[in-house]
Amino acid sequence: MGSATREALARSVSALADLGSKADLATAEDLFAAGRVVADSAQLRAVLSDPTVSGERKAVLVKRVFASLSAPAVQLLSVVTAQRWSSHDDLLAAIEELVIRAIATSAPRNVDIVAELFVFGGAVTSDASLELALRSKLATTDSKVALVQRLLGGRASKETVAIVRQLVDQPRGRSVRESLRAAARTVAAQHGKTIASVYAATPLPDAQIERLRSVLSATYGDLQINQVVDPSIIGGLRVQIGDDVIDGSIASRLAELRLQLAG
């Protein structure tokens, strides 16, 4: 991510925060629709990401093209498109991030979107036919969205369903697993948290998870634990927080031992 995009994204996220409670699920759905229109129109995308076009002209265009959307959504789009982005792909990524952050902000306290995203990601990872159906270029976008609705309807919150629909509708060249992980990080970040993925051969007791969270939070701040059961770990734990990996697994130790013996 270039410096221009980082600064533009920070201003856009700040504009979302300024909306407060106005940035609700309906606002997110409107932004979702706007992102689809921008993604599908090369001409519109080029104009809105062109740094030589003034913010005022872009705002006029946004209000004309998206007149049917809610005032908060149009206001956010005007702010986003007025920024200087490193590429038009960064503009689309920013709209997606605002959608996810708005959904995260509007969700009730008892809704754990991150956990639901990881559960669905695990289902996709463990079912090759499901992953193929969601990324197949032969299937229509509408059929993929309908599949998501069938799979998650009644099993996950409407907020999580809305995010997954967005990711399947506009994959932007990413795999389903990759986009789900990125969305989970964005939701956690909106709540001031970082995700720690903990890999173990069997599910860990809640007390051990809480002790681990307490120890890691001293270094990494407020964490949300994503527990992944991976029999290949054999024993011990492997923890990944951003780019940091803490590998205390038996599998890792055995691999190191084999290297030493081979040397």
Side-chain angles (χ1 to χ4, degrees):
M1 183 186 296
S3 59
T5 287
R6 280 194 295 271
E7 293 175 7
L9 183 58
R11 294 192 189 99
S12 300
V13 171
S14 178
L16 175 67
D18 290 342
L19 284 176
S21 60
K22 293 179 181 178
D24 54 14
L25 183 58
T27 302
E29 292 282 10
D30 279 350
L31 288 173
F32 177 17
R36 186 189 304 114
V37 171
V38 174
D40 291 343
S41 173
Q43 183 177 9
L44 181 61
R45 192 166 62 247
V47 173
L48 293 179
S49 60
D50 187 344
T52 66
V53 179
S54 70
E56 291 78 9
R57 287 180 58 194
K58 291 178 182 178
V60 170
L61 179 60
V62 165
K63 290 177 181 177
R64 186 171 72 244
V65 174
F66 301 109
S68 63
L69 302 186
S70 63
V74 173
Q75 182 179 336
L76 272 176
L77 284 170
S78 297
V79 172
V80 173
T81 56
Q83 307 306 316
R84 182 181 293 271
W85 301 95
S86 299
S87 69
H88 56 70
D89 286 337
D90 287 347
L91 170 61
L92 292 175
I95 294 174
E96 178 185 284
E97 178 159 339
L98 289 181
V99 169
I100 295 171
R101 285 180 177 270
I103 291 173
T105 299
S106 67
R109 290 181 178 272
N110 64 339
V111 172
D112 191 341
I113 297 175
V114 172
E116 291 180 346
L117 288 173
F118 277 121
V119 167
F120 185 66
V124 172
T125 301
S126 62
D127 189 334
S129 61
L130 172 58
E131 183 171 16
L132 178 61
L134 291 173
R135 66 179 175 84
S136 173
K137 294 182 179 180
L138 299 178
T140 65
T141 298
D142 287 345
S143 67
K144 294 176 186 178
V145 171
L147 175 59
V148 167
Q149 194 67 48
R150 288 199 303 274
L151 292 171
L152 293 180
R155 297 180 180 85
S157 65
K158 60 183 179 181
E159 289 81 11
T160 297
V161 173
I163 290 175
V164 178
R165 280 178 42 238
Q166 155 93 13
L167 301 178
V168 170
D169 186 275
Q170 299 176 45
R172 296 194 297 106
R174 302 163 300 179
S175 69
V176 178
R177 285 177 285 178
E178 180 186 358
S179 59
L180 287 169
R181 286 194 295 266
R185 288 194 297 269
T186 299
V187 173
Q190 182 63 22
H191 294 305
K193 295 183 179 182
T194 301
I195 293 175
S197 290
V198 179
Y199 299 81
T202 58
L204 300 177
D206 290 343
Q208 187 174 354
I209 286 289
E210 288 306 314
R211 286 197 299 272
L212 185 63
R213 187 201 313 275
S214 178
V215 170
L216 293 173
S217 293
T219 300
Y220 294 97
D222 197 3
L223 294 174
Q224 178 151 352
I225 303 296
N226 167 43
Q227 187 176 175
V228 181
V229 176
D230 182 356
S232 70
I233 295 293
I234 303 176
L237 299 175
R238 180 176 182 270
V239 181
Q240 183 166 359
I241 305 172
D243 294 330
D244 292 348
V245 176
I246 306 167
D247 198 339
S249 66
I250 292 177
S252 174
R253 295 172 193 169
L254 290 174
E256 291 176 1
L257 180 59
R258 283 195 291 270
L259 287 174
Q260 293 171 6
L261 293 174

